[in-house]
Amino acid sequence: MSSITSSNGTISPSTTRIGWIGTGVMGRSMASHLLAAGYSLTVFNRTPEKAQSLVDQGARLADSPFAVARSSDVVFLIVGYPSDVRRATLDPESGVISGLSSGSFLVDMTTSDPTLAAEIYEAARAASCFSVDAPVSGGDRGARNGTLSIFAGGEEAAVGRLTPLFQCMGTVRYMGGPGAGQRAKLGNQIAIASTMVGLVEGMVYAHKAGLDVGKWMEAISTGAAGSKSLELYGKRILERDMEAGFYVHHFVKDLGICLKECQSMGLALPGLALAQQLYVSLMAYGEGHLGTQALILAIERLNNTCLKKNSESK
């Protein structure tokens, strides 16, 4: 098999072996698109049962990130926290970089710390490999439909070479050097956080004002208040569907990284800080396992109201 880093090397199902680490809500769907495109896939998850659906589709199950790397030319990673990323990539015995062959690629799609992305980049380069930080936006629906926005940082040529794989999952945009993908995603999360606060506050206002909240959402959806958050979560909130497309506890992690970055930059973003505190309050109520649309619960509690009561009374 020719090296995919050589001048004539190409990424294709017949020449490129793919590894995938992390088969949760997002990763499972994303990896399935690569299988559907004909790529061979080796997968790892700390809870093997969560990878079973991919195994049923033809993936091979490995027992460690190191084992995934030994069997792959390109390894994708999407796990929970920066500590998980560090352990999966940099552990000298079980990590991905220890198992990669020269010229191979590591692609971290976790939302993580930009400084860690730069550290992984340097470790991969020392091993004669390539590292790309490529977190995503679009939630569970985007993962299922292959319509994710992918923010890529690292060497532009490496991102370009990996584009056929990214296109199986969504649209990739090159953002700059190591860590730039992570910083782009953090900016994305900052924008989403304040948008979600505005959405749920508007819904509670409409409810208390005696409006039909569903009709109100339809009315604003085609105007300036329309948003992807409204599209993705408005109906779920009305139906009291709090199942996670993106977990509250992961969003709290993301916003915490954002605040850490802002502190190091001397940047004051009060909307971000407020949103983070509201989401932390959900954690205090044991609701970290719910989806980010559960923010409605925090605003309802502040106002001693519930949208469900409104809908049931009509």
Side-chain angles (χ1 to χ4, degrees), residues 15 25 87 93 171 213 232 244 270 272 310:
T15 63
V25 173
R87 181 168 51 251
E93 295 182 358
T171 300
V213 180
L232 290 175
L272 164 64
N310 185 318

Side-chain angles (χ1 to χ4, degrees), residues 48-102:
E49 292 78 12
K50 292 185 177 180
Q52 188 58 50
S53 65
L54 294 171
V55 172
D56 292 342
Q57 295 173 57
R60 186 175 72 85
L61 186 65
D63 61 5
S64 69
F66 176 87
V68 171
R70 296 295 290 175
S71 302
S72 306
D73 303 302
V74 181
V75 176
F76 289 92
L77 177 80
I78 184 164
V79 291
Y81 295 87
S83 58
D84 300 318
V85 174
R86 178 177 293 279
R87 181 168 51 251
T89 58
L90 298 177
D91 187 284
E93 295 182 358
S94 63
V96 170
I97 290 176
S98 296
L100 286 177
S101 301
S102 176

Side-chain angles (χ1 to χ4, degrees), residues 35-183:
L35 277 170
Y39 289 93
S40 64
L41 195 68
T42 301
V43 300
F44 170 79
N45 194 286
R46 286 183 299 181
T47 306
E49 292 78 12
K50 292 185 177 180
Q52 188 58 50
S53 65
L54 294 171
V55 172
D56 292 342
Q57 295 173 57
R60 186 175 72 85
L61 186 65
D63 61 5
S64 69
F66 176 87
V68 171
R70 296 295 290 175
S71 302
S72 306
D73 303 302
V74 181
V75 176
F76 289 92
L77 177 80
I78 184 164
V79 291
Y81 295 87
S83 58
D84 300 318
V85 174
R86 178 177 293 279
R87 181 168 51 251
T89 58
L90 298 177
D91 187 284
E93 295 182 358
S94 63
V96 170
I97 290 176
S98 296
L100 286 177
S101 301
S102 176
S104 299
F105 289 75
L106 169 61
V107 184
D108 181 19
M109 307 192 85
T110 315
T111 302
S112 185
D113 193 320
T115 59
L116 177 57
E119 184 180 348
I120 293 169
Y121 174 87
E122 292 299 335
R125 188 167 71 165
S128 299
C129 298
F130 300 87
S131 175
V132 171
D133 50 288
V136 302
S137 181
D140 58 329
R141 184 183 299 181
R144 288 194 304 271
N145 296 338
T147 57
L148 294 168
S149 291
I150 305 168
F151 313 104
E155 294 183 24
E156 187 169 9
V159 174
R161 185 59 63 89
L162 294 166
T163 294
L165 300 176
F166 288 133
Q167 288 176 336
C168 294
M169 296 173 267
T171 300
V172 64
R173 293 173 176 83
Y174 179 68
M175 306 307 298
Q182 293 296 349
R183 289 189 170 94

